[in-house]
Structures are given as C-alpha cells and as structure tokens.
Amino acid sequence: MSKKECIAMLLAGGQGSRLGALTSNVAKPAVSFGGKFRIIDFALSNCANSGITTVGVLTQYRPYLLHSYIGTGEAWNLDERGGGVSILPPYATQTGGAWYEGTADAVTQNLGYIETNDPDYVLILSGDQLYRMDYDDMLETHKKNNADLTIAVMPVPWEEASRFGILTADEDGRISKFTEKPKKPDSNLASMGIYIFTADLLVETLKEDANDQNSSHDFGGDIIPKLLEAGKRLYTYKFEGFWRDVGTISSYHETSMDLLGPNPAFDIFSNEFPIMSNSSTRPPALVGKDATIDDCLVSNGCQVYGTAKHSILSTDAYVGERATVIDSVLLPGARVKDGAHVVRAILGENSVVEENVSVGSVDQTKDTAVIGNDVVVGKGEN
Amino acid sequence: MEKVIGLITCNYSAKESTALTESRPVASLPYFGRYRLVDFALSNMVNCGIRTVGMVMPYNYRSIIDHVGSGKDWDLDRKNGGLFILPGSAFGTSRTGARFLLRDLVHNKAYFTRSTSDAVFFSTANFVFNADLNKVYDAHKESGADVTVIVKTASEKDADVTAFDVEDGRVCGVHHGANFGETMFLDCFVINRQLLLDMFDWYGPTDYLDLFEAMSGDFGRVNVRTYEYDGYVAPIFNKRSYFRANMDLLDPRITAELFPDERTVKTKTHDTPPAKFEVGSHVLNSAVSSGDRIYGSVSDTILGRNVIIEAGATVRNSIVMQGCVVKSGARVENAIVDRANVVPAGTELRGTPEDVLIKEKSRD
C-alpha cells in the first residue's frame, strides 16, 4: 500500500446505551438523523470533504446495519484503490481474541492497520458526533505547531463543562492541563474527542499503554494525561461552529429540532462541505389534499395526509388523515395512522402508532417520548 | 435471469417536438421530480435480474450519459456484462414511427453475437410502467413463442403508439396509432437471441425499417404472442401525455403501483437534504423532492429537486423542474418550468389546463 500522509481511525463501536430504544438493535453511529442521514454520515463526509481517503471504521456493538450501510464507502467517495473505508471489527488471533475495551484499546488492536498504511499522522474520530470540520486545516495547525498531539476544542457553557474533558492552554494553544470530566472545572474549553497524533508517537504510546495494568485504555482518561506528563507537545485546534454529541434522548431530540426554524443552528442545505449519505432511492414526498405542513423537514418516500408541525419526517415516514405530528422526529418508515396524535416524541424506524392513539406530551417537564424500532403502539398501550 | 440481456433504444424521441425535447432525448426527460423516463426501462430490466443492458444512444446523448454514468445506480457496473453504451446508426433522432430501427440493431450486431444469452429484452424509454419481466419471460418460454410483446388494451386513441392485430393471443398485423380498445404495444418485448440474429440476415436489405415493420409480412412464420400487462401504463409521446403522466402520480394508489417495494425504481442518487417546508408555507396535493425549500404556496404540483418557492409565490397545477427558483410574488399556473429557471418576482407564467405553458430550460 502506498504511503499516506494522514489516515483516520473512526471509533464506531459504542452502544450508545443512553439512546435507549433507538439503539436497541443498531449501533449509535447507524442511528438515523436529520431525515435522510445516519449519524456516521457526518464524520465520513468530513473525511471525504477534507481529502482523507483512508478511513478505518472500528465497529463492535450490533454491527450489521452499520456495516451494510457503510458498504464499500462508495456513498462518501471512499471506495478507493489502496485505501478507502476498511471496517475493523474485533478479531481473533493465534493467542485468542478480545473485545475492544476502551477507545485506545480499539486502536491498539488495529495497530497493524496503521502500520500497513504507514501514515505520518493519524486522525482519531468518533462516529457519533454531528458537525462539519475541515480536518485538513486541523492537520495544518498540527504541523505548524510541530505538535505530537492536537486536540480539537471548543468552548462549552460553564454549567456543562463537567461533562467533558476540559483543557487549559496557553496563548499559542499549547495544552498545560487536561482533566477528564472535572467536578469543578477551571476552564470551559472542552475536548471534542477529535485528535491528530503524529503516527510514530501514537504507535509507541499505545504499545506502552497496552502493557499498563492500571490503564483503562481510554484516550481521554489515560493517553492524553500520560503524554502531558511526559512533556510532549500537545496543542489545541479551536473549532467554532455547530458541534453536538447526541448522547442522550433529550440531546438527540434537541439537536434534531436545531435543524428546523427559519435560521437553523445547523444548516444541512449548505453546499460547501456537503453531507453525503448512502440513501435509498425513493420517490418524492407526497402531500395530500388536506395536509398541513409547517416548519418540517420531509424526506423522500414520505406521505403526509394530516398535520405535521416543527418536526422531522425521515424517509418513508407516513402521517395519516387527521393525524397530528408536532415537535417530533419520525425515523425512517415510521407510521402515524389516521387520527393519531404524536407530540414531542421520537418514533423509531418502522414503528407504528395505531389509529387515534396518542403518544407524547406537550408538558416540557416530562421526558421526550420514545418508541423503539419496529414497535407498534396500539390503544391503551401508551 | 442470467440467460437474458437487455437493449434500450434511447434514440427515439417525440414526434411532436416541444421545448422539453428540443434540448434532450425523451429518455432523459425528467419525470416525477427525481426520475428520468429511462429509469423505468432500466429498472424493469434490472429488477428481474438482467445485468447486461445496452443503450442505443441518440446524437445528443450528453444528458443520458450524465444520468446513467457507469450504471452503478442500477447495479450495472459489472465485471462481466453491465452497461453497454451503443451508437445509434443515424445522426439525429428519429421522429417517425421506428422504435427498434433494424439499422440500429444490425450496426450493433457484436453486442448480440458476443452474448451467450438465450433471449433479449427490448424496450424504448417512452413508456412508464413497472412490470415483473420474469413473468413475461416465463410466459414466453411456456408458450414457445419466438417473440413475446407486452401489450395493454388502449383506453383512448393515441396516434403515437403502435398497435397490433391479434388473433388468439398471436399477432397477425401491426399498425401505427392505436384506437380505443385496440391492442397497444408497450414498446417492450422479448425475442430469442438466435432468432434475432437470423432476422438480421432475413431483413438486412430493408434495414431502414422498424423491426416490427420488417416482420409484418412474416407473422405466419414468426410466432409473435402477446402478454397482457394489467398495471398502470403511461405512454409519453407529447406534452399532454407527459403532463398527465406526472399528475397521475399525485394519486397515492398509482404511486404505490408504480413504486412497489418489491420492484423499486432506480435512479441516479444525489446528496440532497430532505425538503424543507418553512414556517408559513402552504402545500397541498403535491409531490416534493429532496432539497426543495418552500416558503410560498404550492398545490397540484410536482417539484423537482432543489427548487425554491419563495414567500408569497404561488405555484398551481404545474411541473417545476430541478434547480428552479420561483421568486417572491411570482405566479406559476398550468405550466411546465424546465430546469434551472428563475421566475422573477411578481411575474406570471400561466397556461391553461388544456394547453400548459412550457418555459424552456435555462441556457445558463
């Protein structure tokens, strides 16, 4: 294989357990988002748009749908000879096999993939974040700083800082302190979990960490503190723009709603940095004679005969006559039958709300209602 | 269907020339928002397992090649077989009756001789229907016919379609133009490959004829049988039938019939986001494609991809193709607005329901 300047390792093995019913049968990166996309589209499109054409995707939890969705990588122009997308699940060797334990361990187990490609730099990504970023610009920063590790960072609200890895950096961006999920944060500069390592250092560090009995083999928890301690050159790459880690049902719902309104926080229509997806070929959306649609994203294959307001209707979603859908997300193939009411809810793929049944509540103090994939909600069940 | 190959003649256009077909062959005419007419012929073939399809090209083939590319969206990017782009014989697009001009076939004889298939499915791109060609082929084998043509009883007079005289399921005559109740040819048939090669020898001297015209004196020898298709069919040969075939799809029953889950219609895929119905938009009885942004009012209309309907604009009973912008306060009614047009603010494009107005494709 030819020499690559920079390859990406995309961590896509997480279960996303806090997404509950949405990830009961698919991995989090394969969860549908924004009508026609799946969450992993954003990271893969960023790679393609940044000119990174060798991407290892590390998978583990319920991988079938994710694997079939990624396919050859063609949908993201990543079906290249001598590169492209490689799916890297846990595997067995002559001495046995092991599941991926922690983010760093997953990469450690695939050092062979990195060594085969022999890159100068390795970009570590999560497959479950929504943002547009030019990784090439981040790489330029890394090279300019002659850094060993560059971490993409953005300021977060102080009250949320304790959910993130928090950094302190000097004026030049050199990192002096890193604390994973601090109880009392002294900075609001958060790591986005996007790293560029100089490849040799990464390989060396991971090999060492693998032998450390006390390590949990996590980039944030173990690798970054160790490199800081060793006096390595760690720098920040400041990102400004829309970035979300849709880790929970409420953040998934909130982030979905961010796509709506007159000036959405995240503009999926922007022609620069297009978000590519492996979409199915479905006919245009049909809007019925008595339909009302207001402030909605409506995907191909949808049929709307009732009312949809401030909602996202994914591919092949269906809203029957006299049905109402408000402040909700219908995942692909979800059906709201005649006379049913859906408010502040997420309906899983191919789920069904039967006729005249109500799901969800306008009461903001209550949790967003979630119906799992393939679940049928009949009368008296909700 | 491993032992069957396909051939689509894309070099037949519409007899009645309109601004829509001045700039492109009928095969690449946009249809129902995101499709092109040739998608139906291609998908019918691919959906029954055919993985080798030749397309006979007209001289203005740019838009067809742009659409089909390597054939990957129809699974026709094969190591063996796949998509074959074949030259048409004449410089120009035939606007007379011929759909399967012998000369076009004979000139591409190698496509047929190099194949080891038993049979060849032929189709034009002028008919919209979604048929299970496996059933047609089964009937073809069972009856022992030399040629099996797909037909439907004409529900109205159509001067542009071909009609057959049929006795006990066997074709005994062919003529151009179908009257109500006659047996209308859907321009799709299957023929045994060896027989086709024989016909090149038999009919070679009259290669200026359509294959069926050449066969017309020969129906005693060549056993041509009909296969009745009972689903939705739209022949598209003029502006009126084109407009109606689009509007038909606003009926969900017809859409369900034309786009069944078991035989999806394949087309070129694009990375366009879902359509956005903005605050204050008003859309009724319409088909809306991905990438559309609607702020204004739309009714009884088919919108292509990436169309913008600004606030205060009104679109009624129309087809608005890909990339058009209808500016604030503009009115579009009973019209076909071809690609990439900007309808300026406050202006009108208006035809009548009987005679829709065509706004030709923007030259930009």
Side-chain angles (χ1 to χ4, degrees):
Chain A
M1 233 176 265
S2 62
K3 173 108 182 136
K4 304 274 173 11
E5 187 185 30
C6 183
I7 69 167
M9 298 296 270
L10 179 51
L11 301 163
Q15 177 183 352
S17 52
R18 287 173 301 153
L19 281 177
L22 297 184
T23 52
S24 63
N25 55 4
V26 298
K28 184 173 161 191
V31 170
S32 164
F33 182 82
K36 69 171 279 188
F37 307 104
R38 294 192 184 272
I39 292 173
I40 199 171
D41 284 335
F42 295 82
L44 288 174
S45 298
N46 283 341
C47 285
N49 288 326
S50 305
I52 292 174
T53 55
T54 303
V55 182
V57 183
L58 299 109
T59 65
Q60 176 157 281
Y61 175 79
R62 294 218 180 253
Y64 167 68
L65 183 72
L66 182 57
H67 289 181
S68 80
Y69 184 72
I70 296 169
T72 60
E74 174 206 309
W76 304 270
N77 287 331
L78 291 171
D79 54 335
E80 295 212 349
R81 278 158 214 270
V85 163
S86 299
I87 290 173
L88 306 171
Y91 55 91
T93 66
Q94 286 171 325
T95 54
W99 296 108
Y100 296 153
E101 312 281 349
T103 51
D105 179 58
V107 178
T108 305
Q109 291 201 40
N110 289 288
L111 285 178
Y113 176 77
I114 295 174
E115 284 164 345
T116 307
N117 282 292
D118 192 19
D120 296 325
Y121 306 98
V122 179
L123 170 67
I124 310 280
L125 301 170
S126 291
D128 54 7
Q129 300 175 344
L130 306 173
Y131 63 107
R132 280 195 184 91
M133 186 191 281
D134 184 355
Y135 302 136
D136 195 44
D137 191 52
M138 180 172 171
L139 181 61
E140 288 308 311
T141 307
H142 180 83
K143 286 193 277 192
K144 199 180 74 205
N145 289 331
N146 194 23
D148 295 311
L149 164 62
T150 299
I151 303 176
V153 297
M154 67 181 296
V156 294
W158 279 96
E159 62 272 19
E160 286 183 35
S162 56
R163 296 203 296 120
F164 295 92
I166 293 296
L167 303 133
T168 309
D170 66 18
E171 277 176 14
D172 300 330
R174 183 151 182 181
I175 299 167
S176 55
K177 190 176 169 192
F178 177 91
T179 325
E180 185 74 355
K181 300 194 175 91
K183 289 211 175 66
K184 285 182 185 163
D186 49 10
S187 155
N188 69 337
L189 209 52
S191 163
M192 300 161 68
I194 301 163
Y195 314 116
I196 289 179
F197 282 92
T198 297
D200 295 342
L201 177 81
L202 175 70
V203 172
E204 188 187 313
T205 311
L206 288 178
K207 280 180 177 168
E208 272 173 32
D209 182 71
N211 294 323
D212 181 351
Q213 301 289 326
N214 298 321
S215 171
S216 56
H217 312 301
D218 184 78
F219 279 107
D222 306 286
I223 306 296
I224 296 169
K226 275 183 190 177
L227 291 174
L228 258 185
E229 202 172 309
K232 298 291 181 191
R233 296 173 63 83
L234 273 60
Y235 279 82
T236 58
Y237 172 74
K238 281 203 177 135
F239 179 76
E240 280 161 15
F242 186 91
W243 175 85
R244 292 284 189 286
D245 175 350
V246 286
T248 63
I249 292 290
S250 67
S251 70
Y252 179 91
H253 185 256
E254 207 173 287
T255 307
S256 296
M257 296 297 114
D258 280 345
L259 303 177
L260 300 171
N263 292 301
F266 193 37
D267 182 12
I268 53 171
F269 282 85
S270 165
N271 287 328
E272 279 176 54
F273 255 66
I275 303 154
M276 294 171 258
S277 69
N278 185 359
S279 51
S280 47
T281 313
R282 301 294 296 142
L286 278 185
V287 181
K289 290 185 170 70
D290 302 310
T292 304
I293 306 178
D294 197 51
D295 196 12
C296 288
L297 281 171
V298 181
S299 312
N300 283 332
C302 283
Q303 295 191 30
V304 184
Y305 301 102
T307 298
K309 287 185 176 169
H310 198 254
S311 293
I312 293 176
L313 311 187
S314 308
T315 309
D316 289 336
Y318 178 94
V319 180
E321 291 175 17
R322 292 168 287 103
T324 52
V325 172
I326 298 168
D327 295 334
S328 295
V329 182
L330 272 52
L331 296 192
R335 295 176 69 82
V336 178
K337 292 202 176 171
D338 294 355
H341 293 278
V342 174
V343 181
R344 275 184 71 237
I346 301 167
L347 305 187
E349 296 194 29
N350 302 310
S351 64
V352 178
V353 179
E354 292 285 9
E355 289 180 17
N356 304 316
V357 171
S358 289
V359 168
S361 162
V362 284
D363 185 351
Q364 296 282 343
T365 60
K366 293 198 172 155
D367 287 345
T368 309
V370 183
I371 306 300
N373 296 343
D374 307 309
V375 171
V376 178
V377 187
K379 263 216 152 16
E381 289 175 46
N382 205 66
Chain B
M1 271 206 278
E2 271 177 38
K3 305 297 270 179
V4 182
I5 63 172
L7 188 106
I8 301 172
T9 52
C10 300
N11 54 343
Y12 178 77
S13 192
K15 194 157 74 179
E16 176 204 326
S17 173
T18 67
L20 298 175
T21 48
E22 276 303 309
S23 57
R24 58 167 85 80
V26 164
S28 55
L29 200 54
Y31 177 67
F32 195 40
R34 70 171 302 179
Y35 299 94
R36 305 270 185 162
L37 285 185
V38 74
D39 290 339
F40 291 87
L42 276 168
S43 299
N44 279 342
M45 289 186 178
V46 167
N47 284 338
C48 75
I50 293 175
R51 290 293 181 270
T52 301
V53 177
M55 295 175 82
V56 180
M57 289 291 162
Y59 73 96
N60 52 349
Y61 56 76
R62 185 202 58 79
S63 56
I64 302 179
I65 301 277
D66 182 3
H67 184 65
V68 297
S70 64
K72 77 179 166 67
D73 288 313
W74 296 263
D75 294 324
L76 288 174
D77 52 338
R78 300 294 93 188
K79 276 195 158 174
N80 298 305
L83 185 67
F84 288 79
I85 302 296
L86 304 173
S89 60
F91 185 80
T93 325
S94 163
R95 294 192 185 276
T96 57
R99 311 283 159 77
F100 305 104
L101 190 65
L102 264 169
R103 195 179 288 165
D104 284 336
L105 311 185
V106 173
H107 277 212
N108 291 298
K109 195 173 172 185
Y111 174 71
F112 303 103
T113 54
R114 285 179 190 173
S115 168
T116 56
S117 64
D118 296 332
V120 186
F121 258 103
F122 280 81
S123 183
T124 62
N126 292 67
F127 281 80
V128 170
F129 63 101
N130 187 328
D132 183 352
L133 297 188
N134 277 314
K135 285 187 184 162
V136 181
Y137 192 52
D138 288 346
H140 175 72
K141 283 188 292 189
E142 200 177 301
S143 71
D146 295 319
V147 179
T148 298
V149 292
I150 306 182
V151 298
K152 188 176 176 75
T153 305
S155 57
E156 61 179 1
K157 187 179 161 71
D158 191 325
D160 294 303
V161 305
T162 304
F164 290 120
D165 305 317
V166 184
E167 274 176 23
D168 297 331
R170 183 163 173 175
V171 171
C172 54
V174 57
H175 56 273
H176 202 66
N179 285 314
F180 172 81
E182 285 195 310
T183 303
M184 168 171 88
F185 182 28
L186 306 191
D187 282 3
C188 183
F189 67 98
V190 59
I191 182 169
N192 296 336
R193 187 179 59 94
Q194 193 50 55
L195 175 69
L196 178 72
L197 293 172
D198 291 344
M199 283 182 177
F200 290 173
D201 295 333
W202 303 346
Y203 308 136
T206 54
D207 69 359
Y208 50 86
L209 292 177
D210 179 87
L211 181 64
F212 285 89
E213 283 177 311
M215 246 187 265
S216 64
D218 229 2
F219 286 133
R221 172 167 58 160
V222 184
N223 181 7
V224 181
R225 301 194 70 85
T226 58
Y227 176 94
E228 182 88 20
Y229 176 70
D230 55 11
Y232 174 83
V233 175
I236 295 178
F237 290 97
N238 52 50
K239 181 172 80 175
R240 201 175 63 88
S241 56
Y242 172 75
F243 189 76
R244 192 177 59 186
N246 272 280
M247 291 304 164
D248 279 349
L249 296 187
L250 293 178
D251 180 343
R253 285 165 302 184
I254 293 177
T255 314
E257 201 179 316
L258 202 51
F259 300 94
D261 290 341
E262 65 272 22
R263 291 190 309 277
T264 59
V265 180
K266 281 106 182 134
T267 188
K268 183 179 180 180
T269 52
H270 295 270
D271 286 305
T272 29
K276 183 125 182 251
F277 291 63
E278 304 283 357
V279 178
S281 65
H282 192 66
V283 182
L284 293 177
N285 194 41
S286 294
V288 178
S289 302
S290 55
D292 291 344
R293 307 197 73 165
I294 306 171
Y295 301 83
S297 296
V298 177
S299 58
D300 308 311
T301 287
I302 314 273
L303 298 182
R305 292 182 309 106
N306 296 331
V307 169
I308 299 173
I309 309 293
E310 290 191 356
T314 307
V315 181
R316 288 181 54 199
N317 196 42
S318 295
I319 297 168
V320 182
M321 293 189 197
Q322 184 186 333
C324 288
V325 181
V326 181
K327 291 281 193 181
S328 178
R331 288 183 72 84
V332 175
E333 206 170 319
N334 306 314
I336 300 171
V337 187
D338 207 337
R339 286 176 64 134
N341 269 297
V342 176
V343 183
T347 62
E348 270 191 13
L349 283 178
R350 191 194 290 261
T352 64
E354 292 74 34
D355 187 21
V356 297
L357 179 142
I358 296 179
K359 177 79 176 89
E360 74 216 34
K361 187 157 93 175
S362 164
R363 299 281 172 212
D364 303 333

